[in-house]
Amino acid sequence: MKKRNTIRHFLTHLFIIALGLVMLYPIVWMIVSSFKPNNMIFSDTSIIPKTLTLENYLSGWKGYAGVTFGTFFANSLFLCVVAIIGNLMSCTLAAYAFARLKFAGRNFWFGVMLVTLMLPAHVTTVPRYILFNTFGWVGSFLPILVPKFLATDAFFIFLLVQFM
């Protein structure tokens, strides 16, 4: 009986490992293909490339229409840093008010905030677009950054209230 279980476990593990390798093959092929010249990506489907080149990475870094990867990276870094600062400031203040201060309607407003967690983001997409378009913010960083300074991330407020 023990020998049968050992064989069954061995075959199960062998099957899982084989399945894992099958799932990893497309990722490995994609990474290896990124070092192949463009005309050889689909004509040579082997894992071991015949010629190696960094041209794909260089053209990706140069970007398109004069916009480099560095610009995208700088924009993302700027947005992340400012959004983190905004969330830290506003959500901490709001959470402190809910957790420590006693004011009229505190439970009601905390409940309203929790209800916004249950509201799908897709429901508010069109009204937010209309609002930001009215403000003239469409096409800028303002629709992403300004709400972060207004404690609009209810999850972070809830998390901090529970911590406090």
Side-chain angles (χ1 to χ4, degrees), residues 59-151:
S59 65
W61 187 266
K62 289 176 189 172
Y64 180 73
V67 182
T68 65
F69 181 77
T71 304
F72 296 127
F73 184 76
N75 286 344
S76 297
L77 184 66
F78 171 74
L79 287 173
C80 287
V81 168
V82 174
I84 288 170
I85 291 169
N87 265 338
L88 276 173
M89 288 173 32
S90 62
C91 292
T92 304
L93 291 173
Y96 182 81
F98 282 128
R100 299 289 181 185
L101 302 179
K102 308 291 185 211
F103 57 91
R106 179 179 77 158
N107 292 336
F108 171 76
W109 289 114
F110 188 70
V112 168
M113 188 219 36
L114 288 178
V115 167
T116 64
L117 277 173
M118 298 170 216
L119 188 66
H122 301 85
V123 173
T124 62
T125 301
V126 172
R128 277 187 292 148
Y129 176 80
I130 293 169
L131 181 70
F132 294 145
N133 193 32
T134 304
F135 291 160
W137 290 359
V138 174
S140 70
F141 291 153
L142 292 175
I144 299 170
L145 297 178
V146 171
K148 301 297 182 189
F149 286 91
L150 300 176

Side-chain angles (χ1 to χ4, degrees), residues 6 8 27 32 41 45 50 63 67 87 92 94 99 103 110 116 136:
T6 305
R8 188 171 53 94
I27 296 169
V32 168
I41 290 176
T45 57
K50 291 178 179 54
V67 182
N87 265 338
T92 304
F103 57 91
F110 188 70
T116 64

